[in-house]
Amino acid sequence: MMALIYILLTVGIYWGAKRLHRLKPMLLLSPLLVTPIAVILILALGKIPYQNYNEGGHLLSSMVGPATIALAVPMYKNAAIMKKHVLEIIAGVLSGWIVGMLVALLFSRSLKLSDSLIDSLLLRSTTTPIALAINDMIGGISTLTAIFVLLTGILGTIIGPLVIRMARIRSDIAKGVLMGSSAHSAGAHKAFEFGLVPGSIASIAMIATAFISLALLPWLTELFMHG
């Protein structure tokens, strides 16, 4: 019974935050930011152990995987467009991934962060289920990985549209690659606000980024950090 209450509580907070954000589209009112903060405050003020909350909360977390897979539907509907621009998509995702890794490594090394913290930071642009799976492979800190992924999603949905407007990006392909490769599932959902094609491209960019991370990150971290 309590598990159901915690699920309804979380969903209710997210629904309310989403309605509020539609009325006042401000950074501080982003549902991705408001929902976890509100849940944390309720648990802290109510002195509710996280283990108790997670009896229901983990059911919501387990839906991230199916929700990510569901993005395959618009991808299938726009398969012809993706085949036509497959080289641009691959080039954009790969170059974005390489630049993102280099920036994260340089930033981490300049701050002299520990290897486990760097491992968690490198996964920030990978969708949560795969990020946590890779995290276990390379020795990151799962809690920090989840936080970095969440923060990246929040910042990406805010900064991404600003970059698109400031750079006057008109291409639906470029919009999709930018949002999907930089802000994973949050960016993909945001890209659908630009249209069905950018959203579909963002979905494939997100998945491509995840597969690149899955294939290369364990090898790279072993070679350059733990070797």
Side-chain angles (χ1 to χ4, degrees), residues 3 9 12 20-21 27 40 43 58 63 66-67 71 73 83 103 109 137-138 166 180 185 195 206-207 210 216 218 227:
L9 172 67
L20 182 61
H21 189 254
L27 167 60
I40 290 171
L43 295 183
H58 84 279
M63 294 179 187
L71 293 172
V73 175
K83 287 179 182 178
V103 170
R109 290 303 187 190
M137 297 168 61
I138 65 178
M166 293 176 65
S185 55
M206 173 194 71
I207 294 172
L216 298 182

Side-chain angles (χ1 to χ4, degrees), residues 35-105:
T35 304
I37 290 176
V39 170
I40 290 171
L41 286 175
I42 291 172
L43 295 183
L45 295 175
K47 297 182 179 179
I48 301 170
Y50 175 74
Q51 291 77 7
N52 292 356
Y53 166 78
N54 203 40
E55 290 178 8
H58 84 279
L59 296 175
L60 292 175
S61 300
S62 66
M63 294 179 187
V64 174
T68 302
I69 295 172
L71 293 172
V73 175
M75 289 166 54
Y76 174 78
K77 291 180 178 179
N78 291 274
I81 295 175
M82 288 186 287
K83 287 179 182 178
K84 181 180 178 181
H85 299 280
V86 63
L87 292 179
E88 295 99 311
I89 295 171
I90 293 174
V93 170
L94 189 57
S95 59
W97 186 85
I98 292 172
V99 171
M101 292 301 107
L102 289 175
V103 170
L105 281 171

Side-chain angles (χ1 to χ4, degrees), residues 147-219:
I147 291 173
F148 289 144
V149 170
L150 174 63
L151 291 175
T152 299
I154 294 171
L155 292 174
T157 57
I158 296 164
I159 297 174
L162 291 176
V163 171
I164 289 172
R165 286 198 296 271
M166 293 176 65
R168 297 182 180 178
I169 297 174
R170 298 287 181 262
S171 168
D172 286 340
I173 306 302
K175 291 177 183 177
V177 171
L178 186 152
M179 296 302 297
S181 61
S182 61
H184 48 79
S185 55
H189 286 293
K190 185 69 177 178
F192 277 107
E193 295 182 9
F194 297 118
L196 189 59
V197 173
S200 301
I201 298 300
S203 301
I204 193 67
M206 173 194 71
I207 294 172
T209 299
F211 279 126
I212 291 172
S213 297
L214 184 61
L216 298 182
L217 257 185
W219 175 73

